[in-house]
Amino acid sequence: MKKSRMWIMILCCLIPVIALAAVFVLKIPLNNVLLYGFILLCPLSHLLMMRSMRHDHSAMDSNTSQHQHAESVKKLAEDK
């Protein structure tokens, strides 16, 4: 296992434990924590998803299926 993956795994395990400890020690209302957690869940998951979906756009050439699909849509529009 790579060291970077190990640190990510440790962080993912410790963050919920620290959050729960903070809720009980600091007596923060759980409904506020859940509300703000759900509000942050969408943008954070979007950022993580976009980061993991990176790919090289320069490797795409005109023969890819996306380009062929766009050309067929143009031809259909011209025929009508």
Side-chain angles (χ1 to χ4, degrees), residues 58-69 71:
S58 64
M60 295 177 70
D61 60 326
S62 62
N63 294 330
T64 62
S65 62
Q66 290 177 349
H67 290 267
Q68 290 172 356
H69 176 71
E71 290 171 5

Side-chain angles (χ1 to χ4, degrees), residues 10-25:
I10 290 171
L11 276 175
C12 288
C13 292
L14 286 179
I15 288 173
V17 172
I18 293 170
L20 282 173
V23 166
F24 290 115
V25 170

Side-chain angles (χ1 to χ4, degrees), residues 10-80:
I10 290 171
L11 276 175
C12 288
C13 292
L14 286 179
I15 288 173
V17 172
I18 293 170
L20 282 173
V23 166
F24 290 115
V25 170
L26 301 175
K27 296 187 173 131
I28 301 171
L30 192 58
N31 60 353
N32 286 348
V33 173
L34 291 175
L35 174 68
Y36 293 120
F38 282 124
I39 289 172
L40 289 174
L41 181 66
C42 184
L44 290 176
S45 62
H46 179 77
L47 289 173
L48 291 173
M49 179 183 64
M50 288 293 128
R51 182 176 176 218
S52 67
M53 298 294 277
R54 278 191 214 160
H55 57 278
D56 189 14
H57 289 282
S58 64
M60 295 177 70
D61 60 326
S62 62
N63 294 330
T64 62
S65 62
Q66 290 177 349
H67 290 267
Q68 290 172 356
H69 176 71
E71 290 171 5
S72 64
V73 170
K74 287 179 187 177
K75 287 179 185 177
L76 286 174
E78 290 173 357
D79 291 341
K80 290 183 179 182

